Amino acid sequence: MNRREFLGSSAVASLALAGAAAPALAETKLMLKASDVHPEGYPTVTAVENIGKKLDQATNGRYGVQMFASMQLGGEKEAIEQAQVGAIQFARVSVGALGPVVDDLNVFNLPYVFRDTAHMRKVIDGEIGQELLDKVTNSGKGLIGLCWMDAGARNFYNTKHPVKTLADLKGLKVRVMGNPMFVDMANAMGSNGVAMGYDQVFSALQTGVVDGAENNPPSFVFDNHYQVAKYLTIDEHLIVPEMVVFSKKTWDAMSKEDQALLTKFSKEAQQEERKLWDVYEKQAMDKATAAGINIVQISETDKKAFQDAVKPVWDKYGPKYAAMVKRIQAVQ
Ligand code: GTR
């Protein structure tokens, strides 16, 4: 089924079902639709599928989850919009894509805002994490913030040459996520930031529309970017967590008990995904190495130049989030 057929047919049926969680329909299984840009087997995909399995069991089959992986329903902007109107229920998306919808989240999109991924995990697991999930739920944007997912740290890769220092980024056209903060970031670092949806990245790299992109190792490898971009530089300029958001339309039609189950299983998924992540990230690096990818590791000392370069981004966006940045930095 293509995207148009999907949105035209089953979405309507699912809406009708979701809106009518009446006793008469109790025997009918409600299939909650989920979208992810990544393929089957990717940690975020498995984690959301597991929420579905648990829901199925706990509700005696009243609910199930149907996963549309590998961008079958488009990129992340589309997934968010589909969840907002109730055409799908779960959208697993990056905070990079969600920031333009719920501005409070953009604090996590500031380059080098986290010391490392362990710091990020502490923050999303704690009070700040819950507060930002609630911001999504209370944003009036038709979304419920269910849980966080780990996506490691992001690095530059390109089709042209090794990037050993900041100067090597100069002039490279680098694809970034659809959020003005990242275009500013890429430009501040000397490259030319090009915002585009994730669904276009592979072909943009392949056709030379862009020279490079930036992402975590699992996306680089398991979404096949490494087949065309042979130069990877581990500089960890962004540590952007991801969120599973749920359609408020569907949520409002669910009983309090079912909502509580969904909340519980989502919290569990947050922890489960990260275990899968650690394994997958290692596999990705092994695969990249085996494929002969040229990998440059930026040392802690050299990272300083990268961090200094993004100062204009902090000058422009930082003040708005100053109080939250302080709280993030205070998390040990
Ligand atoms: C991946 C992330 C996706 C998407 C993608 C991108 O790391 O898991 O949600 O945001 O990056 O660059 O668009």
Side-chain angles (χ1 to χ4, degrees), residues 37-38 42 44 76 92-94 97 151 154 175 177 196-198 201 214-216 219 242:
V37 294
H38 297 302
Y42 200 94
T44 53
E76 304 208 316
R92 196 290 310 153
V93 290
S94 171
R154 297 173 76 100
R175 178 270 172 178
M177 287 182 272
M196 67 173 66
Y198 198 59
V201 183
E214 48 83 52
N215 220 311
N216 50 44
S219 298
E242 308 185 341

Side-chain angles (χ1 to χ4, degrees), residues 107-108 113-114 119 123 128 324-331:
V107 69
F108 283 175
V113 70
F114 296 110
H119 179 209
V123 172
I128 296 174
M324 184 54 102
V325 167
K326 235 188 186 160
R327 288 175 60 200
I328 292 172
Q329 286 169 345
V331 173

Side-chain angles (χ1 to χ4, degrees), residues 16 39 52 64 92 109 133 141 156 161 171 184 189 262 282 307:
R92 196 290 310 153
N109 292 328
L133 287 172
K141 296 290 169 74
F156 288 103
H161 55 239
D184 287 335
M189 293 171 110
L262 181 52
K282 188 173 176 316
Q307 284 166 344

Side-chain angles (χ1 to χ4, degrees), residues 7-324:
L7 290 173
S9 62
S10 63
V12 177
S14 98
L15 236 186
L17 279 178
L25 277 175
E27 289 340 299
T28 315
K29 190 177 206 111
L30 296 181
M31 288 311 279
L32 304 172
K33 295 181 169 64
S35 177
D36 199 306
V37 294
H38 297 302
E40 283 295 342
Y42 200 94
T44 53
V45 174
T46 307
V48 171
E49 284 171 344
N50 286 346
I51 297 177
K53 284 184 192 146
K54 289 182 186 176
L55 261 185
D56 194 330
Q57 239 195 351
T59 63
N60 290 322
R62 279 186 296 112
Y63 284 101
V65 168
Q66 184 179 12
M67 171 59 70
F68 293 85
S70 299
M71 302 184 271
Q72 284 173 70
L73 304 180
E76 304 208 316
K77 190 170 177 288
E78 290 78 13
I80 294 167
E81 287 165 5
Q82 289 157 13
Q84 285 176 313
V85 299
I88 65 170
Q89 281 64 49
F90 296 91
R92 196 290 310 153
V93 290
S94 171
V95 159
L98 209 50
V101 183
V102 182
D103 185 50
D104 297 273
L105 299 177
N106 277 322
V107 69
F108 283 175
N109 292 328
L110 287 163
Y112 299 105
V113 70
F114 296 110
R115 290 185 297 276
D116 48 33
T117 51
H119 179 209
M120 177 271 290
R121 286 178 176 186
K122 278 229 173 94
V123 172
I124 59 175
D125 283 353
E127 181 181 285
I128 296 174
Q130 189 54 50
E131 211 172 295
L132 291 178
L133 287 172
D134 294 344
K135 289 266 188 208
V136 171
T137 303
N138 300 323
S139 64
K141 296 290 169 74
L143 300 169
I144 302 289
L146 280 183
C147 65
W148 295 97
M149 304 248 133
D150 187 350
R154 297 173 76 100
N155 308 294
F156 288 103
Y157 45 85
N158 77 92
T159 58
K160 301 287 182 199
H161 55 239
V163 171
K164 294 185 182 151
T165 66
L166 208 54
D168 298 323
L169 275 176
K170 195 145 191 61
L172 286 180
K173 277 179 278 156
V174 173
R175 178 270 172 178
V176 293
M177 287 182 272
N179 183 322
M181 291 176 78
F182 302 134
V183 177
D184 287 335
M185 177 198 70
N187 293 349
M189 293 171 110
S191 58
N192 299 318
V194 181
M196 67 173 66
Y198 198 59
D199 45 331
Q200 292 159 47
V201 183
F202 180 77
S203 72
L205 284 167
Q206 201 177 32
T207 54
V209 166
V210 293
D211 306 312
E214 48 83 52
N215 220 311
N216 50 44
S219 298
F220 173 60
V221 170
F222 295 108
D223 292 323
N224 292 320
H225 302 175
Y226 81 128
Q227 287 178 2
V228 278
K230 302 290 183 194
Y231 303 97
L232 172 66
T233 297
I234 308 290
D235 70 297
E236 306 197 322
H237 54 274
L238 286 173
I239 296 180
V240 179
E242 308 185 341
M243 205 184 267
V244 180
V245 294
F246 194 77
S247 174
K248 185 169 186 312
K249 262 201 172 136
T250 311
W251 176 266
D252 288 343
M254 291 168 74
S255 69
K256 287 272 167 287
E257 293 72 26
D258 290 340
Q259 288 174 352
L261 283 175
L262 181 52
T263 305
K264 174 171 183 283
F265 299 146
S266 300
K267 297 281 174 224
E268 291 169 8
Q270 180 165 322
Q271 299 305 320
E272 289 163 11
E273 187 264 353
R274 121 180 7 169
K275 294 203 185 83
L276 300 171
W277 181 265
D278 289 339
V279 177
Y280 215 62
E281 193 172 47
K282 188 173 176 316
Q283 276 174 10
M285 285 310 289
D286 289 349
K287 210 167 166 188
T289 308
I293 296 300
N294 179 303
I295 303 171
V296 175
Q297 176 74 51
I298 300 296
S299 69
E300 281 308 311
T301 336
D302 292 348
K303 232 186 215 178
K304 178 83 178 47
F306 284 73
Q307 284 166 344
D308 290 347
V310 297
K311 186 167 176 298
V313 181
W314 278 83
D315 290 345
K316 183 168 172 184
Y317 301 97
K320 199 167 163 190
Y321 307 104
M324 184 54 102

